[in-house]
C-alpha cells in the first residue's frame, strides 16, 4: 500500500501548525543525517548495575517457569509464530525477510524504504516483529531460570547478527520509533536476565558494536519523537524505551538529558493518553494493555536506578489497572474494542500465560487489589520480575469503592447479568487525536458474552497494511454490531490510520444500579440528516438482552438500513425468518440462546464471504476465521424502531 497525493493532503489537514513545523524539522534532519552520521562517543568503564535482587528467579512460580522454558526450547529449535505465520527459521533468522510473501525489504537509507508498500517490502509487521527481540527476552529469562548457557549463547548469536545486519540508519528497522523503543526495552531486560552469564558484559558494555547501537537508538528517539496527531501509544513506547535505556545504560554524556527528557515525555503522554476514569483514550483495548505494560516497565527501571518519577505517573498506572479490573468479564477477558495488533511491552512468559491476569497480578503487587477486583488464579513470570524492582507506594488518590460499570469520559458501559452475562455498550468518542488512528466506525455497537464466550462478537482487526479491503471491512460500521444507513460508515476513513470525519456520540441514559434491570441509551450523528439512537436493557430474571434501534430525522426519501449482528466463532446459528437459534459448547456443556430479530427487516446469514467481505472473526493480528454474521436489510419506514431480543436459556 502506497500513499497517494490525496492521502498526504488529508493527513496534512489533520495537523496543527506546531506539528507541521515539527515534521518539517524532522524532514530537514533526515536529509542531513543521510550524509552526516556522527560517531558514538567513546565509552570507558561502563558497567551494568540495574540487576535483579538476589533470589528473584528462584522464587518464580514453578508452573510459569515451566511454561517459559518450554517456550524457550521451541525457540531454540527455530519454531515461532508471528501474527498467524508459523516459522521454523528462527535458528538463523533473515532479519529483512517477510515469510508470508517471500519478499525481502530493500537495503539503503532507512527513510527511503517504502515500508507501507507490500509489493516493495512485504508485510512490514512480519519483518518488524522478530526485531523487537521479545523472543530473545524469553530466551534470556530461560537462562536466568535454568542457568543453561545454550540460551545465553543463542541470544548473543542473534544480537550480534542483528547488529551487523542493521547498522545505524540502514534498512527497514530504523524507520519507526515504536520499534526502536520496544527494542531498547528488550535489550535492557536481556542484559539484566543474562547478568549471571560470564559473557554478558562482553556482549553489551564491553562490546563497541552494542554500545554504538544503543547510543544511535537513543539519539534517533531523541530526534524523531511522534508528534501531535500521532502522539498515541507510539510516543509512550518511544519514551519508555529511551527512559529504560538511559537508566540502565547510563554510559553516555547525553544519558542524563535523555533520561530527563524521556521521563517528562512519558509523564505527559501517559496522562494525555488516559482518561481520568483510567481507560486509554485510543479506545482500543489492546493498546490499553500495551501502554500499561510500558508504563510499569518504565517505573521498574526508575526504581532500579533510583530515579524519582512524578507521582502522576503512578496515579495514571493505578487508574489504568483499576479500570482494567472493572471492565473484564468473568474469564478476565477485556472488551475487543478498536484496533489490536498483539503488541506487548515486555515478554518474558511462555505460551498459555494470560496477559490480562498477569497485568492484574502486577497491579495487585504494586498497588494492592480492591475488594471488588476479580480473582486472578493464574501465575506468570513477568509479575515477580517487575515487582522485584518496583517499590510499592501508597496510592495518593481515592479508588472506586465498588466496581465501576459506566466510564462517562470514555463512553463505555458494562452491563452484567446472571450466569456471567456480560455486555459492553459503546457510546464513546471516535478514537483519540485528530486522526483517531486506531478507531473503528463502531458507534453504539454492543458486545455480548456468556461465561467468556463471544455471542455477539466484535470481529477484531486482522490486518493493518497491504490488504486494504480487509482493513476496511474490520474497521467498518457493517463490521460491528450496530446499524448502517445507506451503505456508508458512520465516520469517514481517509486511509488505513486516518479518519477525516468522526461521528459524535452522546450517552443519554445509564442505570446500572438495579438488581433486575440495567439500562443504557445513546445516540450518534454520523449519518447526515439522521440520528441513530439505541437503547439496551438487560433483565436478569429473564436472562434477556433487549436492543432497540431508532432512526430520527429526515427520511424522505426513506433510507436504506442494514443491521448487523456478528456471532462468535464458537456459535452455531440456525436462522429461520427473523429468529436465530444459537448453540455452542463451553467446558463440555451445551449452551443455547434465541435471537429474535426485527421483523421489519429481511434477514440473511453470511459466513466467510469474500465478495464482498462479510462473516469473519479475527482472534489475533494476522489471523481470521469464518464466523456467522446475521444482516437484516430494509428501510427506515415507521416510527416503532427495530427491536432485537437475545434470550439465554437455562
Amino acid at each position: 500500500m502506497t500513499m497517494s497525493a490525496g492521502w498526504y493532503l488529508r493527513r496534512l489537514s489533520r495537523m496543527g501548525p506546531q506539528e507541521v513545523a515539527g515534521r518539517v524539522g524532522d524532514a530537514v534532519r533526515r536529509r542531513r543525517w543521510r550524509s552526516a552520521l556522527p560517531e558514538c562517543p567513546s565509552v570507558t568503564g561502563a558497567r551494568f548495575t540495574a540487576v535483579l535482587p538476589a533470589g528473584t528467579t528462584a522464587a518464580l512460580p514453578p508452573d510459569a517457569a515451566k511454561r517459559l522454558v518450554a517456550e524457550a526450547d521451541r525457540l531454540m529449535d527455530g519454531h515461532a509464530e508471528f501474527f498467524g505465520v508459523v516459522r521454523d527459521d528462527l535458528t538463523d533468522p533473515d532479519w529483512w525477510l517477510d515469510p508470508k510473501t517471500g519478499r525481502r525489504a530493500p537495503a539503503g537509507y532507512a527513510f527511503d524504504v517504502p515500508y507501507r508498500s507490500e509489493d516493495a517490502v512485504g508485510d512490514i509487521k512480519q519483518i518488524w516483529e522478530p526485531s523487537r527481540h521479545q523472543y530473545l527476552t524469553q530466551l534470556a529469562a530461560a537462562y536466568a531460570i535454568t542457568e543453561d548457557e545454550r540460551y545465553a549463547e543463542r541470544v548473543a548469536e542473534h544480537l550480534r547478527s542483528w547488529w551487523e545486519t542493521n547498522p545505524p540508519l540502514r534498512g527497514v528497522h530504523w524507520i519507526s520509533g515504536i520499534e526502536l523503543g520496544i527494542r531498547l526495552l528488550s535489550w535492557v531486560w536481556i542484559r539484566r536476565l543474562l547478568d549471571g552469564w560470564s559473557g554478558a558484559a562482553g556482549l553489551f558494555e564491553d562490546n563497541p558494536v552494542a554500545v554504538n547501537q544503543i547510543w544511535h537508538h537513543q539519539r534517533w528517539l531523541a530526534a524523531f519523537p511522534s508528534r501531535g496527531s500521532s502522539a498515541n501509544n507510539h510516543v509512550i513506547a518511544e519514551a519508555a524505551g529511551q527512559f529504560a535505556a538511559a537508566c540502565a545504560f547510563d554510559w553516555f554524556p547525553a544519558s542524563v538529558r535523555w533520561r530527563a527528557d524521556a521521563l517528562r515525555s512519558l509523564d505527559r503522554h501517559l496522562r494525555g493518553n488516559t482518561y481520568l476514569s483510567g481507560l486509554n483514550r485510543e479506545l482500543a483495548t489492546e493498546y490499553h494493555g500495551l501502554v500499561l505494560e510500558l508504563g510499569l516497565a518504565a517505573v521498574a527501571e526508575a526504581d532500579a536506578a533510583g530515579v524519582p518519577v512524578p507521582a502522576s505517573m503512578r496515579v495514571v498506572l493505578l487508574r489504568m489497572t483499576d479500570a482494567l479490573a472493572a471492565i473484564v468479564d468473568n474469564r478476565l477477558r477485556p472488551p475487543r474494542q478498536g484496533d489490536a495488533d498483539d503488541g506487548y511491552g515486555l515478554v518474558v512468559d511462555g505460551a498459555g500465560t494470560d496477559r490480562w491476569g498477569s497485568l492484574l497480578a502486577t497491579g495487585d503487587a504494586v498497588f494492592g487489589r480492591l475488594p471488588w477486583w476479580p480473582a486472578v488464579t493464574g501465575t506468570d513470570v513477568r509479575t515477580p520480575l517487575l515487582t522485584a524492582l518496583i517499590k510499592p507506594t501508597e496510592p495518593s488518590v481515592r479508588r472506586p469503592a465498588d466496581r465501576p460499570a459506566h466510564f462517562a469520559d470514555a463512553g463505555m458501559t458494562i452491563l452484567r447479568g446472571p450466569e456471567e452475562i456480560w455486555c459492553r455498550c459503546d457510546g464513546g468518542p471516535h478514537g483519540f487525536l485528530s486522526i483517531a488512528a486506531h478507531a473503528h466506525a463502531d458507534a453504539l455497537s454492543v458486545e455480548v458474552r456468556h461465561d467468556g464466550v463471544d455471542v455477539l462478537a466484535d470481529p477484531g482487526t486482522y490486518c493493518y497494511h497491504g490488504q486494504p479491503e480487509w482493513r476496511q471491512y474490520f474497521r467498518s460500521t457493517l463490521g460491528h454490531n450496530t446499524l448502517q444507513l445507506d451503505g456508508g460508515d458512520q465516520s469517514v476513513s481517509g486511509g488505513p490510520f486516518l479518519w477525516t470525519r468522526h461521528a459524535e456520540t452522546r450517552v443519554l441514559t445509564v442505570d446500572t444500579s438495579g438488581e433486575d434491570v440495567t439500562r443504557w441509551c445513546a445516540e450518534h450523528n454520523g449519518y447526515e440528516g439522521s440520528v441513530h439512537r439505541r437503547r439496551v436493557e438487560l433483565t436478569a430474571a429473564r436472562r434477556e438482552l433487549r436492543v432497540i434501534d431508532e432512526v430520527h430525522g429526515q427520511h424522505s426519501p426513506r433510507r436504506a438500513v442494514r443491521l448487523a449482528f456478528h456471532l462468535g466463532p464458537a456459535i452455531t446459528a440456525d436462522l429461520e425468518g427473523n429468529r436465530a437459534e444459537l448453540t455452542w459448547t463451553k467446558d463440555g456443556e451445551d449452551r443455547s440462546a434465541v435471537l429474535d430479530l426485527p421483523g421489519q427487516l429481511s434477514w440473511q446469514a453470511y459466513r466467510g464471504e469474500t465478495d464482498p467481505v462479510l462473516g469473519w472473526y479475527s482472534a489475533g493480528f494476522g489471523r481470521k476465521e469464518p464466523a456467522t454474521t446475521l444482516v437484516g436489510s430494509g428501510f427506515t419506514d415507521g416510527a416503532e424502531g427495530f427491536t432485537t431480543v437475545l434470550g439465554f436459556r437455562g
Side-chain angles (χ1 to χ4, degrees), residues 166-439:
N166 297 279
L169 296 183
R170 311 306 295 177
V172 73
H173 296 300
W174 290 87
I175 297 171
S176 173
I178 189 174
E179 304 305 316
L180 277 75
I182 291 177
R183 191 156 53 238
L184 275 178
L185 183 59
S186 294
W187 291 353
V188 168
W189 274 91
I190 289 168
R191 175 62 184 87
R192 175 174 291 128
L193 292 164
L194 293 184
D195 191 62
W197 179 50
S198 60
L203 180 62
F204 279 94
E205 56 265 32
D206 295 338
N207 179 3
V209 175
V211 170
N212 185 58
Q213 284 275 350
I214 292 167
W215 184 81
H216 275 285
H217 271 67
Q218 293 191 78
R219 176 177 179 264
W220 193 109
L221 290 170
F224 300 113
S226 293
R227 302 177 184 277
S229 57
S230 294
N232 53 12
N233 66 87
H234 282 235
V235 77
I236 302 292
E238 294 160 8
Q242 174 132 43
F243 179 72
C247 286
F249 303 141
D250 58 344
W251 309 326
F252 309 105
S255 290
V256 172
R257 173 171 54 84
W258 284 339
R259 184 170 61 228
D261 290 348
L263 183 58
R264 279 193 297 270
S265 176
L266 189 58
D267 178 41
R268 172 191 168 197
H269 288 293
L270 274 173
R271 288 183 282 113
N273 275 251
T274 309
Y275 287 113
L276 287 177
S277 66
L279 290 180
N280 184 265
R281 285 182 181 268
E282 292 196 75
L283 298 175
T285 309
E286 282 211 4
Y287 288 112
H288 182 106
L290 173 64
V291 168
L292 181 53
E293 289 168 354
L294 291 166
L296 289 168
V299 170
E301 296 305 328
D303 288 353
V307 176
V309 300
S312 53
M313 274 183 56
R314 297 184 196 266
V315 167
V316 169
L317 298 175
L318 166 63
R319 286 176 171 156
M320 292 183 72
T321 307
D322 279 342
L324 176 62
I327 63 177
V328 294
D329 65 20
N330 69 304
R331 300 282 177 157
L332 301 185
R333 293 184 62 215
R336 285 166 53 88
Q337 182 180 21
D339 272 349
D341 72 347
D342 297 356
Y344 286 75
L346 174 65
V347 181
V348 287
D349 275 285
T353 302
D354 180 66
R355 175 185 198 173
W356 309 104
S358 170
L359 278 169
L360 291 177
T362 305
D364 184 2
V366 174
F367 305 118
R369 60 178 287 112
L370 294 172
W372 54 260
W373 273 31
V376 177
T377 57
T379 60
D380 69 319
V381 170
R382 187 176 62 190
T383 290
L385 293 182
L386 283 175
T387 56
L389 301 176
I390 298 176
K391 295 178 174 58
T393 55
E394 189 70 25
S396 59
V397 294
R398 179 178 297 177
R399 300 171 70 185
D402 300 301
R403 189 175 202 171
H406 177 58
F407 298 82
D409 47 11
M412 182 187 293
T413 303
I414 306 293
L415 306 181
R416 298 178 188 270
E419 302 297 328
E420 312 303 344
I421 297 170
W422 175 97
C423 173
R424 172 181 65 89
C425 303
D426 183 355
H430 180 74
F432 179 48
L433 301 174
S434 61
I435 63 173
H438 291 297

Side-chain angles (χ1 to χ4, degrees), residues 175 427 520 555:
I175 297 171
W520 171 88
H555 301 154

Side-chain angles (χ1 to χ4, degrees), residues 600-616:
Q600 312 99 300
L601 303 177
S602 176
W603 289 90
Q604 187 171 348
Y606 299 86
R607 186 176 179 86
E609 306 291 336
T610 57
D611 188 20
V613 175
L614 192 60
W616 295 90

Side-chain angles (χ1 to χ4, degrees), residues 76-124:
M76 289 293 290
D77 290 337
H79 302 303
E81 181 178 331
F82 298 112
F83 308 135
V85 176
V86 177
R87 299 182 60 166
D88 59 5
D89 62 341
L90 229 62
T91 54
D92 184 20
D94 182 337
W95 302 109
W96 291 6
L97 175 69
D98 165 26
K100 190 171 79 173
T101 64
R103 298 188 180 98
R104 292 190 82 249
Y109 185 55
F111 297 117
D112 291 341
V113 177
Y115 70 96
R116 292 189 180 97
S117 171
E118 188 168 290
D119 290 338
V121 174
D123 184 334
I124 191 61

Side-chain angles (χ1 to χ4, degrees), residues 54-66:
T56 299
T57 55
L60 294 175
D63 58 334
K66 183 178 179 180

